[in-house]
Amino acid sequence: MALDDVFISYAREDRASAQALAAALKADGMAVWWDRDLGAGADFSAEIEHRLAAARVVVVLWSRPAVVSDFVRDEATRALEADKLLPLRIEDVKPPIGFGMRH
């Protein structure tokens, strides 16, 4: 499986923003993965874990729902630990503790 340039992490409520970002990045020639690309019958957790590890950068879309989402926080933590976190605030919110110092 090829290395993806970008993994997009977002809260379900922000799907339209994630889709717009994915379309813009793909139009610019980047390989983008987000959970809309999960195949039927795929092992959800294993696929996400694999894609997180394979991505060059993980863009986290911070919003009110994302700040309280366990999945988004877990993905952001893994990206931070791998030094490939790119936070993007799509609402005027403070990221959770541990992510506020990243720009």
Side-chain angles (χ1 to χ4, degrees), residues 15-59:
R15 186 176 191 84
S17 295
Q19 186 171 10
L21 177 60
L25 293 172
K26 287 178 181 180
D28 204 33
M30 293 185 191
V32 178
W33 192 90
W34 60 308
D35 65 2
R36 181 169 182 202
D37 296 330
L38 275 171
D43 180 344
F44 185 78
S45 295
E47 181 72 8
I48 288 176
E49 189 171 2
H50 172 75
R51 294 298 186 145
L52 268 168
R56 294 179 192 273
V57 66
V58 177
V59 176

Side-chain angles (χ1 to χ4, degrees), residues 64-76:
R64 283 177 206 83
V67 166
V68 297
S69 167
D70 290 338
F71 272 104
V72 174
R73 291 170 72 131
D74 189 28
E75 292 167 352

Side-chain angles (χ1 to χ4, degrees), residues 61-67 88-96 100:
L61 302 182
W62 289 121
S63 65
R64 283 177 206 83
V67 166
L88 179 61
R89 289 191 302 166
I90 60 173
E91 291 182 358
D92 187 19
V93 296
K94 289 185 180 180

Side-chain angles (χ1 to χ4, degrees), residues 2-19:
L3 187 68
D4 291 318
D5 293 316
V6 180
F7 176 106
I8 301 174
S9 176
Y10 67 100
R12 184 175 320 277
E13 296 86 346
D14 302 318
R15 186 176 191 84
S17 295
Q19 186 171 10

